[in-house]
Amino acid sequence: GENVEQHPSTLSVQEGDSAVIKCTYSDSASNYFPWYKQELGKGPQLIIDIRSNVGEKKDQRIAVTLNKTAKHFSLHITETQPEDSAVYFCAASKVTGGSYIPTFGRGTSLIVHP
Amino acid sequence: SQTIHQWPATLVQPVGSPLSLECTVEGTSNPNLYWYRQAAGRGLQLLFYSVGIGQISSEVPQNLSASRPQDRQFILSSKKLLLSDSGFYLCAWSDLNSPLHFGNGTRLTVT
């Protein structure tokens, strides 16, 4: 089955700095890679996703890159703000007909210091 | 638009007592439904998923069970809670055209 490794487990940055979270996956058939942000006491919320036919996607201060050859993908947050502090999860999956079971990384706790 | 409701938000139960957590989804039909547990504030462990009414797949042997009595209702149950059942339980839904969408979770403390 799919295995997703996520690094680092904790990331501490100063407000305004950039933050990068990296994930690797094992199944070359995986074709969909969402990223989730989980604030304290809440459920994870989708913040950005990328499909295997795209190498990069941006949405304001966040971007995701995908290297299919190396089987890794990364989340980039620029100009970090204190409200970006949360746990971030990456996931990998194969989107096919029927069931859809993503495999999640173990999460990265991002701390943005004002 | 689609919404997911999960309740209760917090629950404190004694060891050996039963459990019933409920999740409902609005605004979509025949969604895939999921129960996850999150222990120690971090990793997401898939417990059960369902692709239709009465169709439940268990990912991990547990002291828990799941049922889907209606298309958009997913219930997580236990007959007798263990201390190790404490955690943050998350319900989620998806369909063929969307990623997982999570509810806001239930914090269960077994005492």
Side-chain angles (χ1 to χ4, degrees):
Chain A
E2 176 66 275
N3 182 52
V4 176
E5 299 285 340
Q6 182 172 347
H7 300 280
S9 58
T10 304
L11 180 58
S12 183
V13 300
Q14 289 296 127
E15 182 177 0
D17 288 350
S18 294
V20 180
I21 302 170
K22 298 182 179 181
C23 290
T24 60
Y25 61 100
S26 60
D27 188 347
S28 57
S30 288
N31 58 8
Y32 177 64
F33 308 91
W35 285 87
Y36 290 83
K37 175 184 180 182
Q38 185 177 26
E39 297 177 339
L40 195 62
K42 296 185 177 181
Q45 299 297 309
L46 179 73
I47 56 171
I48 195 168
D49 56 9
I50 191 167
R51 299 186 185 272
S52 59
N53 60 346
V54 176
E56 182 176 2
K57 184 176 178 181
K58 292 184 71 173
D59 183 4
Q60 299 182 17
R61 295 187 298 108
I62 60 174
V64 57
T65 59
L66 171 65
N67 184 325
K68 287 188 296 182
T69 303
K71 295 204 283 287
H72 66 71
F73 56 113
S74 301
L75 178 71
H76 304 253
I77 305 174
T78 59
E79 299 172 27
T80 54
Q81 301 168 3
E83 51 265 38
D84 294 329
S85 296
V87 178
Y88 291 80
F89 292 95
C90 64
S93 59
K94 289 175 283 192
V95 179
T96 59
S99 62
Y100 160 59
I101 309 294
T103 300
F104 286 90
R106 291 187 59 79
T108 296
S109 178
L110 174 64
I111 303 165
V112 180
H113 299 281
Chain B
S1 64
Q2 301 90 354
T3 56
I4 180 168
H5 302 279
Q6 195 178 338
W7 67 92
T10 59
L11 190 60
V12 180
Q13 293 283 99
V15 168
S17 64
L19 173 73
S20 181
L21 301 181
E22 189 164 342
C23 172
T24 59
V25 180
E26 296 177 357
T28 187
S29 296
N30 196 31
N32 292 336
L33 296 173
Y34 309 78
W35 278 111
Y36 282 86
R37 178 167 63 197
Q38 192 173 29
R42 191 62 72 85
L44 296 163
Q45 180 187 32
L46 178 63
L47 301 176
F48 302 96
Y49 72 93
S50 171
V51 299
I53 295 174
Q55 301 178 63
I56 309 294
S57 296
S58 175
E59 290 296 299
V60 182
Q62 300 282 339
N63 179 41
L64 302 168
S65 62
S67 61
R68 184 169 177 173
Q70 300 181 43
D71 181 42
R72 290 169 290 175
Q73 184 185 29
F74 207 22
I75 297 172
L76 183 69
S77 304
S78 174
K79 292 182 179 178
K80 289 186 178 181
L81 284 168
L82 306 173
L83 285 174
S84 57
D85 291 324
S86 293
F88 192 48
Y89 288 84
L90 290 156
C91 181
W93 74 272
S94 75
D95 63 27
L96 293 178
N97 299 312
S98 77
L100 260 64
H101 299 274
F102 288 89
N104 273 327
T106 295
R107 173 73 58 192
L108 173 65
T109 303
V110 182
T111 61

